[in-house]
Amino acid sequence: MAAGTERSGQREGADSPLLAALERQLSLGRSRLHMPGHKGHLPFPLSEAARYDFTELPDTDSLYEAEGCLLSLERRYASLYGAADSFLSAGGSTLCIQTMLALLGPDAALCCDRNLHTSAMNAMGLLGQRPFFLGMRRDESGLPLPPAPQDVGRMLTRHPEIRAVYLTSPNYYGYLADIRGIAEAAHAHGALLLVDNAHGAHLPFVEGVSHPLAVGADICCDSLHKLLPALTGAALLHLSGNAPFSRERVKTCMSWFGSTSPSYLILLSVDLLSAELASGLPVRLKRAQRRAAQLRRDFLLPHPPEGESDPLRLVIPSCGEAAALRRLLYREQIEPELCDKLAAVLLFGADSEEEDFLRAEAALRHLPACPALPERDGLPDLGEPEMGCTPREAMLAESEPVAAEEALGRVAASSVQRCPPGAPLVLCGERISRETILLLKNYGVLALNVIK
C-alpha cells in the first residue's frame, strides 16, 4: 500500500480550522450562487475536492484580512516554526518573495546572492530597488556555493546604504548558507536578513540542520509543497520578533501581488498539513532523512556535504553526461527533479516508499566513475557583476536580440535563466562579461536581449 494511500479519507477537522469552517459552510446546505462557477461539481478526479473549493465568504474568512479560521491557521504555523508571525500564501514563495521585498520599499538598496530565483530579480525590478550582487563560487563538481559571511560583511562595509541582505538557502543543489554568520554580519551593519528558504520548509522537522528563523533570519519564506505534503502553490512567509513590520503592513503588501481569488484547495492543503506536522509527519520525515543519508554515505556523494545541505535532497554529479545519467535514472524508473550538466537532483519526502530508495540505490550502483571535472566543465566562478543600470531601468528600456558572442559589453535587458533551477545565468541590467558569455555557451544559450 502506498504511504499516502493509507491515510486517505482521514479527517482531522478538530485540528484543522479551515477544514472545520468549510465543513460548517457545506452543512448549511445553501445554494452556491457565488464563485467559483463549478458550484462544487467537477469531473473525476476532482469531484470530491470541488466540494471544498470555496471563495472568500463571511464564514470562510478572507486571506488578506484574516480574522477567523485563516488567522487561527497562521497562528498555528507561527508556533510550529517559532515565528513572531506567519502568513499564508496560495501564490507560492513567489508571492512571499514579492512581499518581503515590497516591505523594504522602493529604491531600497540590497546585498544579494547572485544565485537568487528569477522571481526576486523581477520583483526588485518592479519595485525599483538597487541590488548589489555578490560573486558566485563553485565547488569541485561545479555546484554553486552560497555566499560566505565575510563576503557579505565586505559588501556592507563598501555600501553603507544597503538596508537588507537577501539570499537563497538551501540553494537548488542543496547547499545551506551560514545563516548565523551572515545574520551577524547583516545586523552589525544595521541591515535585515531576508532568506528565500523555499526549498527548506521541512528543516525544523528533521535533524542536524536549522531553519533560518532559528539562527538569525529576520524574514523568510517557505514553499510547503516542495518537500512537504501540500498542494503546489502552498507557501508561508515568516517574521521574526526583530522584523520591524506590522502584521497589517505585511498583509497590505501581499495584497498588492496576490490574487483576490486565492485557491481554497491550496489553503486547505496547508490546513491539513499543519495537523500532520503536529502529529506523525516529523517521524516520517526523519525516517526519509536517515534513508537518504545512508545512500549518500554508501555511495560517497560528498557534495554538498552532509550537515551543510538539505538532508532530503540527493545530488548526483553528472560529470557533464546529463543525457546518459537521465537514461540511467529512467531505466530504474526514476523521474528526477532535475538532471542537467552539473548533477541530477532527487527529492525524497515523508511519503517516499522503500521502493523509491531501492531504485535510487540501483541507479547509484551503476554510475560510471566520476573524477573531478576538468575546470569544472568550463563553468567559471562569477565575480561581482558590473551592473550597467538598475533592473527596473533594464526592464523598461527598448531592447534588441543579439547573439551571445556579440553581447560583450552590452547590458542585458532581461534575465536569462533555466527553470529548473530558476536562477539567472545573466542578471537583468548586468553588463555582459566574457565569463557570462562562457556561461551562456555552456548552457546552449545562443542569443539574449540587450538594451539598445
Side-chain angles (χ1 to χ4, degrees), residues 75-364:
R75 285 175 173 166
R76 168 175 287 182
Y77 271 103
S79 177
L80 284 167
Y81 280 85
D85 217 338
S86 295
F87 303 85
L88 303 172
S89 168
S93 280
T94 293
L95 174 56
C96 300
I97 288 167
Q98 291 164 335
T99 302
M100 283 197 290
L101 294 170
L103 288 167
L104 301 176
D107 301 320
L110 299 93
C111 168
C112 297
D113 174 10
R114 183 188 173 105
N115 194 40
L116 82 177
H117 193 269
T118 189
S119 60
M121 186 85 257
N122 293 338
M124 290 175 198
L126 292 171
L127 292 163
Q129 295 174 336
R130 294 178 296 128
F132 292 89
F133 289 99
L134 298 160
M136 187 177 72
R137 299 169 298 119
R138 298 180 183 276
D139 72 6
E140 294 92 330
S141 299
L143 304 179
L145 292 165
Q150 58 267 29
D151 296 331
V152 172
R154 283 193 289 267
M155 177 71 81
L156 293 172
T157 298
R158 284 163 41 207
H159 298 282
E161 70 272 27
I162 287 175
R163 189 178 174 196
V165 175
Y166 179 92
L167 59 88
T168 303
S169 178
N171 68 21
Y172 205 84
Y173 298 98
Y175 269 111
L176 294 168
D178 179 0
I179 299 294
R180 191 185 302 277
I182 293 172
E184 290 174 357
H187 296 157
H189 289 80
L192 297 171
L193 175 57
L194 282 55
V195 180
D196 172 1
N197 185 60
H199 288 266
H202 56 293
L203 295 181
F205 310 103
V206 294
E207 297 171 336
V209 289
S210 298
H211 188 271
L213 278 185
V215 286
D218 298 296
I219 316 175
C220 73
C221 65
D222 295 335
S223 282
L224 296 175
H225 67 92
K226 284 182 166 58
L227 283 156
L228 293 175
L231 288 178
T232 298
L236 294 170
L237 177 65
H238 305 289
L239 266 62
S240 78
N242 296 322
F245 306 108
S246 69
R247 179 175 178 82
E248 292 71 26
R249 183 60 178 168
V250 175
K251 287 288 188 179
T252 295
C253 290
M254 290 192 92
S255 71
W256 294 344
F257 297 99
S259 171
T260 56
S261 300
S263 166
Y264 267 70
L265 292 181
I266 293 175
L267 295 174
L268 180 56
S269 77
V270 178
D271 183 38
L272 299 175
L273 172 61
S274 72
E276 287 201 87
L277 286 172
S279 55
L281 183 59
V283 173
R284 304 202 310 275
L285 285 168
K286 289 168 187 168
R287 185 184 304 131
Q289 176 185 8
R290 289 191 294 271
R291 198 69 177 83
Q294 180 182 344
L295 289 175
R296 193 178 291 111
R297 289 191 295 268
D298 288 350
F299 294 94
L300 303 177
L301 297 175
H303 302 291
E306 199 168 344
E308 298 177 28
S309 61
D310 173 6
L312 296 183
R313 189 173 301 248
L314 206 63
V315 180
I316 306 170
S318 59
C319 301
E321 297 293 336
L325 180 53
R326 185 178 290 275
R327 285 194 299 271
L328 172 60
L329 294 171
Y330 280 178
R331 190 179 74 196
E332 300 300 337
Q333 292 296 296
I334 293 171
E335 187 69 65
E337 163 69 14
L338 169 74
C339 186
D340 68 6
K341 67 184 291 100
L342 293 178
V345 177
L346 310 184
L347 303 182
F348 295 101
D351 295 318
S352 292
E353 302 177 51
E354 180 60 19
E355 183 179 21
D356 300 325
F357 293 103
L358 292 175
R359 287 175 174 178
E361 181 177 353
L364 288 166

Side-chain angles (χ1 to χ4, degrees), residues 390-441:
T390 67
R392 181 179 179 84
E393 290 168 338
M395 290 169 71
L396 298 178
E398 288 191 50
S399 64
E400 60 182 353
V402 298
E405 291 183 346
E406 299 173 5
L408 183 64
R410 303 289 296 271
V411 175
S414 57
S415 297
V416 179
Q417 73 274 336
R418 285 287 179 264
C419 193
L425 302 172
V426 175
L427 301 162
C428 185
E430 178 180 2
R431 192 174 299 281
I432 306 301
S433 67
R434 296 188 187 281
E435 288 77 17
T436 49
I437 291 174
L438 176 60
L439 189 66
L440 291 171
K441 282 184 170 181

Side-chain angles (χ1 to χ4, degrees), residues 26-104:
L26 284 168
S27 72
L28 297 172
R30 293 173 178 164
S31 295
R32 295 170 69 150
L33 303 185
H34 55 75
M35 297 184 291
H38 58 67
K39 310 305 179 186
H41 302 285
L42 284 173
F44 178 84
L46 299 176
S47 47
E48 180 64 18
R51 298 177 62 240
Y52 294 89
D53 187 25
F54 277 94
T55 189
E56 295 174 314
L57 301 171
D59 294 326
T60 62
D61 211 354
S62 177
L63 184 58
Y64 306 122
E65 300 88 20
E67 56 185 18
C69 58
L70 296 181
L71 176 59
S72 296
L73 185 55
E74 289 179 327
R75 285 175 173 166
R76 168 175 287 182
Y77 271 103
S79 177
L80 284 167
Y81 280 85
D85 217 338
S86 295
F87 303 85
L88 303 172
S89 168
S93 280
T94 293
L95 174 56
C96 300
I97 288 167
Q98 291 164 335
T99 302
M100 283 197 290
L101 294 170
L103 288 167
L104 301 176

